Amino acid sequence: MFESSDTMKMKICLVGEGAVGKTSLIRKYVLDEFDDRYISTLGAKITKKELMFEYPDNGGELRIDMTIWDIMGEKGFRELLKEAYFHGAQGVLAVCDVTRKNTLPELESWIAAIETVTGKIPIRFLANKADLKDQLTFTESELREMSAKYQSAYLFTSAKTGDNVDKAFIEIADAIAKRKVA
Ligand code: G3D
Ligand code: MG
């Protein structure tokens, strides 16, 4: 049950290989609210977004203060800084690029790194650059298998067209909110 004036803070991390589209997805989602703070020592960029959810069944509205962490793709940094990156993260958007096959299996090591810090948390797999689906290098069933392995779900997204971008952030926020009240 939510009180009508509740605010829930959420930390969401985007992970995945370089150039899969993490930064572009965040920009597309946040639009004008883009916050350019850059923590150079961490190699992570933090953006804030506020959203309101209505849960009629719970008789309430929920304000969500979302903090989105854009993790740079260098693996060397990941091992060194994973505590700093992932501490307190409540959800992951695991991003791969439909035009580069290895970006999907690479997500397993990203998820392993985050889970050693946070334990199990909600994950959504995003197969980005879906506007280039004619260059698809893995099958939808490979994507489905990967997400099933983590009891998760996947979406084809495009930061270019905006396809499923809002949905990705809303779904992960919803999964986090439901998990918190459960
Ligand atoms: P990263 O933050 O994961 O490293 P970026 O990735 O957001 O920097 O994106 C890497 C490149 O992919 C960028 O191109 C960006 O424009 C492109 N890109 C990101 N998302 C999409 C998408 O959905 N569709 C297409 N077609 N391109 C996308 P450049 O050329 O600037 O390097
Ligand atoms: Mg980036």
Side-chain angles (χ1 to χ4, degrees):
M1 176 70 90
F2 302 120
E3 298 299 325
S4 53
S5 57
D6 273 357
T7 298
M8 192 181 277
K9 289 187 187 299
M10 277 183 193
K11 175 177 173 180
I12 291 172
C13 291
L14 275 79
V15 298
E17 296 304 290
V20 294
K22 300 178 296 297
T23 303
S24 303
L25 286 163
I26 296 167
R27 266 175 214 254
K28 190 72 184 175
Y29 178 56
V30 176
L31 290 173
D32 297 339
E33 297 174 40
F34 192 72
D35 179 347
D36 232 355
R37 261 188 305 169
Y38 181 70
I39 301 182
S40 57
T41 49
L42 292 184
K45 188 181 255 178
I46 300 166
T47 306
K48 289 193 175 273
K49 171 91 175 174
E50 193 181 279
L51 57 162
M52 292 294 288
F53 275 178
E54 300 208 9
Y55 289 98
D57 295 345
N58 279 318
E61 274 189 326
L62 179 67
R63 178 193 303 276
I64 294 175
D65 252 331
M66 192 189 272
T67 306
I68 304 166
W69 287 58
D70 184 6
I71 308 295
M72 311 275 255
E74 289 87 17
K75 286 198 202 92
F77 279 117
R78 181 175 73 197
E79 278 315 300
L80 209 58
L81 293 168
K82 66 183 178 192
E83 284 290 340
Y85 284 158
F86 300 139
H87 178 78
Q90 292 146 296
V92 195
L93 294 175
V95 186
C96 62
D97 172 348
V98 300
T99 70
R100 287 185 294 147
K101 190 174 177 64
N102 71 309
T103 62
L104 177 60
E106 287 286 354
L107 288 175
E108 297 216 73
S109 60
W110 282 101
I111 291 166
I114 197 164
E115 285 185 341
T116 60
V117 179
T118 61
K120 290 263 175 216
I121 54 175
I123 302 167
R124 286 291 180 279
F125 286 86
L126 306 186
N128 191 43
K129 309 194 186 179
D131 55 289
L132 303 175
K133 241 178 172 172
D134 57 327
Q135 298 172 40
L136 202 71
T137 55
F138 47 79
T139 63
E140 182 160 2
S141 70
E142 286 175 283
L143 187 58
R144 188 182 305 114
E145 273 168 36
M146 177 69 85
S147 32
K149 190 169 167 185
Y150 294 92
Q151 294 82 48
S152 171
Y154 64 89
L155 286 169
F156 282 98
T157 59
S158 171
K160 188 172 180 182
T161 66
D163 203 28
N164 277 339
V165 175
D166 286 4
K167 193 170 183 206
F169 285 91
I170 290 167
E171 276 194 8
I172 194 74
D174 184 56
I176 295 165
K178 291 203 170 115
R179 187 172 186 252
K180 271 199 178 180
V181 292

